[in-house]
Amino acid sequence: YSLSLHDALPICISQEFMVFTNVLGGPPVPLIAKDNVALSGNVTIENTVKSEDDNDSNDFVTIWAGGNVALSGSAKTESAKGVNGSKLNCEPSCTTAVSNVVQNDAALPADGDAFFDIFFNQPKAQVKASADIVIDLSGDTNISSLINNKTGVLIWVDADDTSPTQHYTITINGGSVIGKNASGQINPVVLILERPLDVIINGGVEVYGFVYIIGDFNQPGAGNLEVFGSAVVEGTVLKNGTPNVVFDPDLLNNFKGVGRMAKIPGTWRDC
């Protein structure tokens, strides 16, 4: 049958689509680092998940690192150890016996790309190409207006490709909220920061979702960064001020729309 533009017949064609998410679920603990972790200031890393078994240590890990973990000043970790809600805390004086920190774990890949593949189902170039927002830096930049109140998107912040080793500073103003809109509705984001970056937080900033840093992460200063979800660093963590990570697995498993839409082969048909 041949249909021409002159035919006065209704036309209905259907095609099925699906969203291929970039994230393989969500990270299993609040903070994961490929290398060393050094926390100071008033940093708190918290795992709020309560284990079904008080003797099961797998559910209350707060930091998982391929290198050493050092806490100083008022930095601490907190876990809801079990169904009774008791806390298992690790402060600078904590002993290995009660620690909720896993360090020097050779199971974490030393290679950056292999480490990335644990959390994403596409290589870096493809994930960046599918990002909803790409911010290419050419110098120190305040990115507040570019990311504030963005929800349900993948944001990739990168340095200029002509200077891949250039160290830049990004600034986020106090009051900025990412992953929650102005009406208070939460739809988590994936925020990827690439290249050597210092992150300056002016005041209080909230991020709902999954933050992934390609390279070392340094947050100097006294700004208050709150991550509700999880943070993963493909390098070393140096955090001062008051950056806190509160693990939220339910939020991490709700990356609605963070991915690419594609046709499902063989599903084209007339209605």
Side-chain angles (χ1 to χ4, degrees):
Y1 177 76
S2 176
L3 180 66
S4 73
L5 294 176
H6 299 289
D7 292 308
L9 296 175
I11 300 174
C12 178
I13 299 172
S14 68
Q15 171 75 63
E16 294 182 18
F17 290 78
M18 71 177 297
V19 174
F20 292 90
T21 58
N22 289 305
V23 182
L24 295 171
V29 301
L31 176 61
I32 303 174
K34 184 173 73 68
D35 301 318
N36 299 327
V37 175
L39 304 179
S40 59
N42 293 314
V43 181
T44 300
I45 309 298
E46 182 178 2
N47 189 338
T48 60
V49 176
K50 295 181 181 180
S51 172
E52 296 180 358
D53 180 357
D54 283 352
N55 297 315
D56 184 0
S57 63
N58 293 327
D59 287 346
F60 51 77
V61 171
T62 55
I63 302 173
W64 181 16
N68 295 321
V69 176
L71 305 177
S72 62
S74 299
K76 63 181 180 179
T77 65
E78 292 185 352
S79 294
K81 181 177 181 295
V83 291
N84 60 10
S86 62
K87 292 287 187 179
L88 178 65
N89 300 340
C90 181
E91 300 183 12
S93 60
C94 74
T95 64
T96 303
V98 298
S99 176
N100 51 22
V101 171
V102 176
Q103 59 183 330
N104 298 311
D105 191 349
L108 288 173
D111 176 74
D113 290 340
F115 186 83
F116 186 87
D117 290 344
I118 296 175
F119 308 100
F120 297 89
N121 60 15
Q122 298 185 90
K124 291 173 182 174
Q126 282 84 340
V127 173
K128 181 178 180 180
S130 65
D132 301 283
I133 300 172
V134 176
I135 303 172
D136 283 319
L137 306 175
S138 57
D140 297 345
T141 306
N142 188 319
I143 64 172
S144 305
S145 63
L146 303 175
I147 63 175
N148 187 37
N149 291 141
K150 299 299 183 184
T151 62
V153 294
L154 191 155
I155 304 169
W156 190 295
V157 181
D158 190 9
D160 191 324
D161 288 337
T162 60
S163 54
T165 61
Q166 179 68 44
H167 196 115
Y168 291 137
T169 296
I170 61 172
T171 300
I172 305 176
N173 293 338
S176 297
V177 180
I178 305 101
K180 183 167 71 171
N181 64 23
S183 300
Q185 296 175 317
I186 296 175
N187 190 358
V189 301
V190 179
L191 176 61
I192 300 177
L193 308 178
E194 186 178 4
R195 310 295 173 88
L197 294 171
D198 282 348
V199 180
I200 302 296
I201 304 296
N202 291 329
V205 173
E206 297 178 358
V207 180
Y208 294 83
F210 174 23
V211 179
Y212 188 97
I213 294 93
I214 301 175
D216 297 337
F217 178 54
N218 181 32
Q219 188 202 330
N224 185 10
L225 172 64
E226 300 270 0
V227 177
F228 299 92
S230 185
V232 176
V233 179
E234 192 183 299
T236 294
V237 181
L238 297 171
K239 299 183 76 174
N240 202 339
T242 313
N244 302 313
V245 181
V246 179
F247 186 52
D248 189 336
D250 293 333
L251 184 147
L252 291 171
N253 289 323
N254 192 32
F255 288 114
K256 295 179 180 178
V258 182
R260 58 184 178 86
M261 183 171 287
K263 298 176 183 178
I264 301 176
T267 61
W268 183 96
R269 60 178 58 88
D270 295 329
C271 298

